[in-house]
């Protein structure tokens, strides 16, 4: 789609482009496989000599149209869908890492991502060093090794709500010849476009704001096309040397700026199969069409709730990047001029026990293992999403034991505040 179109128009018009007489709405290609007239035609697909579809585990037209829309929203050159955000983060790293390699990760990333890189991928022989996102450049430089392959962070950390200094992290990563991978789930491309600040690869849990209705699991990976893999060919030999499983194709030579996503699709998806279902991709596309309308409402409501919480004498602290009291307010204004997200974290003066009791008293806000959809919901990370962490790891991740993650929906903000007020009334 033409670059002069605004992001609002891209939410509606990008992706599926119906031709004369075709369905106006994106069709659901609910088929595992695709028919060809000759054996030679299909053989060329398997050799990557021809573009097309032959098995949905690798590619599907519905999925590709939705991936293209997300790609255009982020301003990338290529994208792919995965079955979940967790799969997206795994593929994004594993696509350029193997046994004996090393990764650097921000300490405040989502607990599932933290566990993926520090526990599961460690079993695969990939080491991970944790860094403070607020560390200065000199400190960050010290974390790198000869075998470091990438840096992983989040645009807005879940649930610590740390706003990443993209330019600082990109400068350090590029000085060591490695890409910066950022999960942009919370900010979404409506509020933040990380590629404009030096980020190389973006991931999403599309299950959150992009879907918007808590209906379908999914993930996405988008490549900016800006990282020059060939400049560091020895380090990223999976992309720059022949792949024996595809008759010696070299991804950077054959696919240029689309090499990274092509490899992730034809190699990782082929072998690991974390495919998003076409039905889920269809539902995701419906959500994307209103993303530009919902995100501003989430942010407007969240700021109103956060300001109310700041004035309540039963609240110990409030963390929301849109508040002037936030230590990340200036970074948020620099990188996310239109707003941040709809998620607030706060603690109550009664500590962890009071927090849990407060959550049980909420009527409108639901206790669910989810975040960032149309309905207001609440979660206690230390008991739920970050339960696998010990107290030291919780502190390192910016998760206090009494931290409540409050995901503000798009209901009337006054109703959300009234629900919080009644839940606090008898303490």
């Amino acid at each position: 789609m033409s670059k002069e179109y605004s992001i609002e128009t891209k939410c509606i018009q990008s992706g599926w482009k119906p031709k004369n007489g075709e369905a106006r709405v994106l069709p659901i290609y609910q088929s595992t496989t695709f028919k060809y007239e000759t054996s030679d035609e299909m053989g060329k697909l398997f050799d990557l000599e021809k573009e097309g579809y032959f098995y949905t585990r690798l590619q599907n037209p519905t999925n590709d149209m939705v991936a293209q829309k997300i790609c255009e929203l982020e301003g990338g050159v290529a994208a792919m869908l995965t079955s979940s955000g967790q799969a997206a983060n795994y593929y994004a790293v594993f696509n350029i890492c193997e046994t004996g390699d090393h990764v650097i990760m921000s300490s405040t990333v989502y607990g599932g991502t933290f566990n993926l890189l520090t526990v599961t991928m460690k079993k695969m022989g990939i080491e991970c060093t944790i860094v403070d996102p607020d560390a200065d450049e000199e400190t960050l430089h010290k974390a790198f090794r000869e075998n470091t392959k990438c840096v992983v962070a989040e645009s807005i950390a879940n649930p610590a709500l740390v706003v990443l200094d993209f330019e600082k992290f990109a400068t350090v990563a590029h000085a060591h010849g490695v890409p910066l991978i950022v999960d942009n789930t919370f900010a979404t491309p409506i509020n933040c476009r990380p590629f404009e600040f030096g980020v190389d690869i973006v991931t999403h849990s599309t299950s959150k704001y992009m879907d918007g209705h808590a209906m379908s699991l999914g993930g996405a990976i988008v490549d900016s096309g800006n990282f020059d893999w060939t400049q560091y060919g020895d380090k990223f030999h999976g992309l720059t040397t022949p792949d024996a499983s595809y008759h010696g194709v070299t991804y950077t030579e054959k696919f240029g700026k689309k090499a990274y996503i092509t490899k992730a699709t034809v190699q990782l998806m082929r072998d690991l199969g974390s495919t998003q279902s076409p039905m889920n991709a269809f539902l995701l596309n419906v959500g994307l069409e209103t993303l530009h309308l919902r995100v501003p409402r989430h942010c407007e409501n969240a700021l109103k709730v956060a300001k109310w919480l700041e004035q309540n004498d039963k609240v110990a602290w409030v963390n929301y990047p849109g508040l002037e009291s936030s230590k990340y307010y200036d970074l948020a204004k620099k990188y996310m001029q239109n707003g941040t997200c709809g998620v607030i974290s706060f603690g109550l003066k009664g500590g962890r026990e009071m927090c849990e009791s407060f959550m049980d008293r909420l009527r409108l806000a639901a206790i669910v293992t989810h975040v960032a959809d149309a309905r207001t919901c609440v979660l206690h990370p230390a008991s739920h999403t970050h339960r696998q962490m010990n107290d030291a790891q919780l502190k390192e991740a910016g998760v206090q034991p009494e931290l409540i993650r409050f995901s503000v929906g798009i209901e009337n903000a006054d109703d959300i505040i009234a629900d919080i007020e009644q839940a606090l009334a008898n303490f």
Side-chain angles (χ1 to χ4, degrees):
M1 173 159 282
S2 174
K3 292 196 178 191
E4 33 307 327
Y5 283 120
S6 67
I7 199 163
E8 293 88 350
T9 300
K10 289 178 180 179
C11 281
I12 303 293
Q13 296 286 352
S14 290
W16 173 242
K17 302 290 192 301
K19 298 182 179 64
N20 188 45
E22 290 186 330
R24 178 67 185 88
V25 174
L26 173 68
I28 306 168
Y29 285 83
Q30 195 66 43
S31 179
T32 61
T33 191
F34 301 84
K35 176 184 176 294
Y36 288 87
E37 295 295 331
T38 68
S39 174
D40 182 60
E41 283 183 288
M42 183 165 284
K44 288 178 180 177
L45 294 172
F46 276 92
D47 283 345
L48 306 182
E49 292 296 330
K50 183 179 178 181
E51 290 188 8
Y53 301 97
F54 54 94
Y55 201 60
T56 285
R57 187 177 79 239
L58 278 84
Q59 287 179 285
N60 176 284
T62 305
N63 291 25
D64 280 3
M65 291 302 100
V66 181
Q68 181 59 32
K69 176 174 285 190
I70 294 172
C71 184
E72 291 186 24
L73 292 176
E74 284 287 7
V77 298
M80 66 183 290
L81 299 186
T82 61
S83 58
S84 67
Q86 200 64 347
N89 286 330
Y90 172 52
Y91 279 27
V93 174
F94 194 57
N95 199 35
I96 51 175
C97 289
E98 59 188 36
T99 299
D101 286 340
H102 173 251
V103 174
I104 294 170
M105 180 175 66
S106 167
S107 63
T108 56
V109 298
Y110 166 64
T113 307
F114 190 97
N115 198 65
L116 170 66
L117 268 73
T118 60
V119 178
T120 301
M121 295 190 77
K122 184 177 181 180
K123 295 175 183 176
M124 302 166 63
I126 299 169
E127 295 291 330
C128 182
T129 295
I130 306 302
V131 297
D132 184 344
D134 295 333
D136 58 28
E137 287 190 22
E138 182 180 354
T139 302
L140 293 176
H141 280 297
K142 292 176 182 176
F144 286 80
R145 306 176 187 172
E146 285 295 318
N147 60 339
T148 302
K149 291 293 185 69
C150 62
V151 178
V152 178
E154 292 175 332
S155 55
I156 303 176
N158 175 13
L161 301 179
V162 171
V163 176
L164 188 73
D165 189 339
F166 297 114
E167 292 177 348
K168 177 180 71 176
F169 268 74
T171 297
V172 174
H174 296 160
H176 294 271
V178 303
L180 173 59
I181 301 173
V182 168
D183 185 326
N184 196 34
T185 297
F186 268 19
T188 82
I190 301 302
N191 283 345
C192 181
R193 307 241 297 174
F195 294 155
E196 296 175 1
F197 305 105
V199 173
D200 301 292
I201 296 158
V202 158
T203 63
H204 284 277
S205 170
T206 62
S207 321
K208 309 305 189 296
Y209 288 121
M210 284 188 167
D211 169 85
H213 302 87
M215 291 191 296
S216 57
L217 286 177
I221 309 172
V222 187
D223 183 11
S224 69
N226 294 330
F227 191 84
D228 187 355
W229 307 103
T230 60
Q231 186 178 348
Y232 309 99
D234 291 340
K235 186 175 287 189
F236 301 106
H237 57 83
L239 286 161
T240 61
T241 60
D243 181 353
S245 70
Y246 275 110
H247 307 292
V249 66
T250 299
Y251 295 104
T252 50
E253 290 180 3
K254 188 169 182 63
F255 300 102
K257 288 183 176 294
K258 295 185 178 181
Y260 174 87
I261 291 295
T262 300
K263 178 179 179 292
T265 300
V266 303
Q267 189 187 83
L268 297 189
M269 197 63 82
R270 174 196 65 188
D271 296 342
L272 300 174
S274 300
T275 310
Q276 185 166 149
S277 74
M279 185 68 211
N280 277 9
F282 173 83
L283 292 171
L284 167 59
N285 189 61
V286 174
L288 287 168
E289 290 183 349
T290 60
L291 184 66
H292 63 293
L293 300 175
R294 290 182 287 103
V295 168
R297 178 59 178 263
H298 280 288
C299 295
E300 176 189 337
N301 280 359
L303 183 59
K304 191 170 182 178
V305 172
K307 287 180 176 179
W308 184 90
L309 287 167
E310 268 197 319
Q311 302 303 313
N312 191 285
D313 58 8
K314 294 174 184 177
V315 176
W317 54 268
V318 182
N319 181 18
Y320 182 65
L323 289 173
E324 291 185 19
S325 58
S326 169
K327 66 182 290 188
Y328 299 105
Y329 181 78
D330 290 337
L331 276 179
K333 286 298 181 184
K334 177 180 179 180
Y335 294 125
M336 305 165 194
Q337 295 181 4
N338 295 325
T340 55
C341 65
V343 182
I344 302 168
S345 62
F346 64 96
L348 300 179
K349 290 180 179 178
R352 181 169 182 166
E353 185 177 338
M354 179 179 173
C355 291
E356 292 178 351
S357 180
F358 158 77
M359 288 169 56
D360 292 344
R361 299 182 187 188
L362 291 166
R363 296 169 185 165
L364 184 150
I367 301 172
V368 296
T369 312
H370 201 247
V371 67
D373 65 68
R375 304 166 190 84
T376 296
C377 55
V378 64
L379 184 126
H380 184 240
S383 299
H384 306 139
T385 54
H386 290 59
R387 194 180 185 92
Q388 75 277 11
M389 293 184 178
N390 59 39
D391 286 348
Q393 289 174 323
L394 283 171
K395 184 177 179 181
E396 189 176 24
V399 180
Q400 299 93 320
E402 76 279 8
L403 184 150
I404 293 170
R405 185 182 73 182
F406 198 83
S407 180
V408 182
I410 57 174
E411 306 95 342
N412 184 287
D414 292 336
D415 291 338
I416 299 169
I417 290 170
D419 188 40
I420 298 171
E421 189 171 23
Q422 66 81 25
L424 289 173
N426 297 318
F427 288 109

